[in-house]
Amino acid sequence: MEYIGFNTRLKNSLRSIAIIICFFILWSLSTVKWKTGTDWDSYYDVFYYFSDIYRGYFEPGFLIIVSTIRSFTSNYTIYLGIFSFLCLALKFSFFVRYHKETIFTIILLFYCYYFGDIFAVRQNLAISITLVSTGFIIKKRPILFAISVGLASSIHFTSILYILAYFIYWSHLKDRTIYILTGISILFGLLGGGEKLLSLILQVIGINGYAGEKINQYLNASGTDTINTNNNPLLIYILGLIKRCLFIPIFFWIKNRCYQNSSNIKGYLNLYMFGNIIYFLFAKDLSIFARASVPFLFFEIFLICFTLSYFKFAPKNFILIFLIIMVVSASRFNALINSYYNLYVPYNSIFDNRINRVLE
């Protein structure tokens, strides 16, 4: 539908129906799951029992959402339905508003890279809000953008870094400068300089209060949280580096040759490269802090769509690029499952009678 032309009116009708179906499938799987996905016990506990044990580890915005829903019902499935609807509705609104022509490629990549928010936690909702806030960057509405980032940060504190996105999106750094900064971040990351750099920044800024407490929580937890529980973090870091070395030159090549949507491509690439710099600095030794890069790295799926759209009139190149992207996406999906295999497989739902559930 997206890369082979046919009747425009029929295409638009089919697209609208398919978007609704895709949304409903992801939303249903997000809602009816049970004891599946990471951090199930802590999220269930904070909702069902509203326990003080976990409340100190969650941001106030998230607790407001939980307490509001909890005041009406103690049914965890209803909570999951509302929470996942917010995550997906915000993302889909951005997909449709800015990338309707390639939305099915985006949904496929969204699934391969992020499970389509089926196992959404509070960072997924925060990313949905930062994604919507990107629309305010494009429209140059800084106040609405700042409010959106503040809201996202109240749900997952790492989103506070996205406040830099407004300036990064419109920056005009040369390609060479970006490559140099990326290379330096890789060198620092491999040598373990990310942690020292973070400590130095925090000392210079003198962050304290709630922000300092949250950062310290992340730093103290970093020793037990790795990118993948089954593999060496260094190996995962290197594999991530290899994948990016494959895609990044292609993205820059497209950016320098594509005049249609050029401002979006440049802005997205700026955000994506900043996310990579954060990732390379912290992913090996401070993987929990590298989560701050996720809202920026999310733009990879849009850059992939720009790439496919650019090559769709050159069939041979398009097929090659398409196959590469599908292989990489399948590998990403497989790695995502294997990161916490026992928590994702099998997928359990509320319809499985073998699972005991407390509904009310």
Side-chain angles (χ1 to χ4, degrees):
M1 284 185 63
E2 292 177 344
Y3 304 105
I4 300 175
F6 59 94
N7 184 277
T8 303
R9 188 173 181 180
L10 175 62
K11 186 175 183 178
N12 290 334
S13 299
L14 291 175
R15 181 190 289 118
S16 298
I17 295 171
I19 289 171
I20 295 172
I21 293 173
C22 290
F23 179 90
F24 182 77
I25 290 172
L26 293 177
W27 182 43
S28 298
L29 291 171
S30 304
T31 302
V32 302
K33 66 178 181 291
W34 197 260
K35 291 188 176 180
T36 305
T38 58
D39 299 323
W40 175 273
D41 291 334
S42 59
Y43 278 90
Y44 178 84
D45 183 86
V46 76
F47 175 80
Y48 187 76
Y49 300 105
F50 214 57
S51 171
D52 290 332
I53 297 175
Y54 293 106
R55 287 177 67 177
Y57 293 93
F58 292 105
E59 288 79 354
F62 174 74
L63 290 176
I64 290 173
I65 294 174
V66 172
S67 62
T68 301
I69 300 174
R70 189 67 176 80
S71 65
F72 292 99
T73 180
S74 60
N75 190 311
Y76 193 59
T77 297
I78 293 177
Y79 158 78
L80 289 177
I82 296 173
F83 187 82
S84 61
F85 181 86
L86 291 173
C87 292
L88 290 168
L90 291 171
K91 286 190 175 77
F92 269 68
S93 67
F94 186 85
F95 296 165
V96 173
R97 173 68 177 82
Y98 294 99
H99 300 281
K100 190 173 183 178
E101 294 300 317
T102 56
I103 190 168
F104 300 117
T105 306
I106 290 173
I107 293 173
L108 174 63
L109 296 171
F110 175 43
Y111 180 72
C112 290
Y113 277 58
Y114 303 100
F115 279 138
D117 279 359
I118 291 174
F119 306 108
V121 290
R122 67 190 192 280
Q123 188 178 24
N124 297 79
L125 179 56
I127 291 172
S128 295
I129 298 172
T130 58
L131 190 61
V132 171
S133 75
T134 307
F136 298 130
I137 299 178
I138 296 171
K139 296 176 182 177
K140 296 186 177 181
R141 297 180 179 177
I143 296 176
L144 291 176
F145 168 75
I147 293 173
S148 299
V149 173
L151 180 60
S153 303
S154 74
I155 295 171
H156 198 276
F157 182 72
T158 57
S159 299
I160 191 65
L161 192 65
Y162 202 74
I163 198 68
L164 300 175
Y166 196 93
F167 309 99
I168 295 169
Y169 185 95
W170 296 110
S171 65
H172 298 285
L173 292 177
K174 294 181 179 179
D175 295 354
R176 181 180 178 183
T177 302
I178 297 176
Y179 275 122
I180 291 173
L181 292 174
T182 304
I184 292 173
S185 70
I186 294 172
L187 181 61
F188 264 77
L190 288 173
L191 295 177
E195 185 173 1
K196 295 178 181 178
L197 178 63
L198 178 61
S199 299
L200 178 62
I201 292 173
L202 294 180
Q203 288 177 7
V204 172
I205 297 176
I207 291 179
N208 50 28
Y210 176 78
E213 182 181 347
K214 290 302 297 183
I215 291 174
N216 286 326
Q217 285 180 8
Y218 288 133
L219 291 175
N220 292 333
S222 64
T224 58
D225 188 41
T226 60
I227 299 173
N228 186 304
T229 57
N230 300 318
N231 295 293
N232 188 320
L234 178 60
L235 176 60
I236 301 301
Y237 182 92
I238 293 174
L239 291 176
L241 175 60
I242 293 173
K243 188 207 78 170
R244 286 164 173 80
C245 287
L246 177 65
F247 276 179
I248 288 174
I250 296 175
F251 294 155
F252 273 98
W253 191 86
I254 295 296
K255 186 259 297 186
N256 292 327
R257 286 164 176 76
C258 188
Y259 298 100
Q260 185 178 9
N261 295 320
S262 60
S263 61
N264 280 356
I265 295 175
K266 291 177 181 178
Y268 287 1
L269 187 55
N270 286 343
L271 296 175
Y272 175 66
M273 293 307 298
F274 181 78
N276 279 312
I277 289 172
I278 299 300
Y279 174 86
F280 290 137
L281 279 173
F282 301 114
K284 187 174 77 70
D285 299 315
L286 286 175
S287 60
I288 196 164
F289 194 77
R291 291 179 183 179
S293 68
V294 179
F296 299 93
L297 296 178
F298 195 91
F299 289 93
E300 181 175 314
I301 66 178
F302 302 116
L303 291 170
I304 289 174
C305 289
F306 282 130
T307 302
L308 286 172
S309 296
Y310 180 84
F311 284 109
K312 70 179 181 179
F313 297 113
K316 292 182 180 179
N317 292 333
F318 175 84
I319 293 173
L320 176 61
I321 296 294
F322 182 83
L323 290 176
I324 291 173
I325 290 171
M326 289 302 102
V327 170
V328 172
S329 299
S331 301
R332 164 77 184 200
F333 182 74
N334 184 64
L336 199 59
I337 291 178
N338 288 326
S339 61
Y340 297 98
Y341 187 87
N342 293 332
L343 299 178
Y344 295 132
V345 180
Y347 170 87
N348 299 313
S349 75
I350 59 175
F351 304 109
D352 192 335
N353 295 325
R354 296 171 298 175
I355 301 174
N356 295 323
R357 295 192 302 131
V358 179
L359 291 177
E360 296 288 349

